Amino acid sequence: ATGTLSALSTVDVGSEVSGKVDEVLVDFNDEVKKGQIIARIDPSTFETQIEQGDATIANARAGLQTAQAGLRNAELDFDRKQELAQQKLVARSDLDQSRAARDQARAQVTQAQAQIRQQQASTQNARLNLGRTVIRSPVDGVVLNRAVEPGQTVAASLQAPVLFKIAEDLAQMEIMLAVDESDIGQVKPGQAVSFTVDAF
């Protein structure tokens, strides 16, 4: 039977982010170590997103300070009108209106705090993506296949495109072959197998 000789264990290395490949640092048959940088994707998009996110957070914090100042003013106004209402010096409707303004100011403070948290999460996501622009080898092994060139654009929209295939251990190999239907009945577990390859 004819088949293919392949590594027992291989790892596909992909990219979780899209962008232009700036550098490819390994080639076919190169030995790599776990954690070694094997490629870099242009980080400028994510660096810009982080800068925009930081600016939005600063803006949201300013909005929070404004809301907090409005809340302090509304609470003071409500306290004054509550005292005056007890002395029958203001109408009940004025007190109700002041209470509503205070509650509204509290809601604005809560909303501003939520906007800050939301933007911080978005900026943190951009930071994670920036880290993902550096492609590292997940295992010690040998590069079997390199499917990317410098300058190529990687699109990781629905699934991570495979950039490298790394074999963990070439000391152990396997042969994948299709044994003919008329012969498969003679195959037994533990049976000796001999094979040749065209190269040798």
Side-chain angles (χ1 to χ4, degrees), residues 77-78 81 92-103:
D77 184 58
F78 175 70
K81 286 190 175 156
R92 187 79 187 167
S93 61
D94 284 349
L95 179 64
D96 292 341
Q97 197 171 10
S98 180
R99 182 186 284 110
R102 182 203 62 185
D103 293 344

Side-chain angles (χ1 to χ4, degrees), residues 1 175 177-193:
I175 301 171
L177 54 83
V179 179
D180 191 84
E181 188 179 351
S182 59
D183 297 328
I184 195 68
Q186 300 170 48
V187 175
K188 303 282 186 292
Q191 187 174 350
V193 175

Side-chain angles (χ1 to χ4, degrees), residues 144-157:
L144 289 183
N145 188 26
R146 185 192 82 186
V148 67
E149 296 291 338
Q152 187 177 333
T153 301
V154 173
S157 52

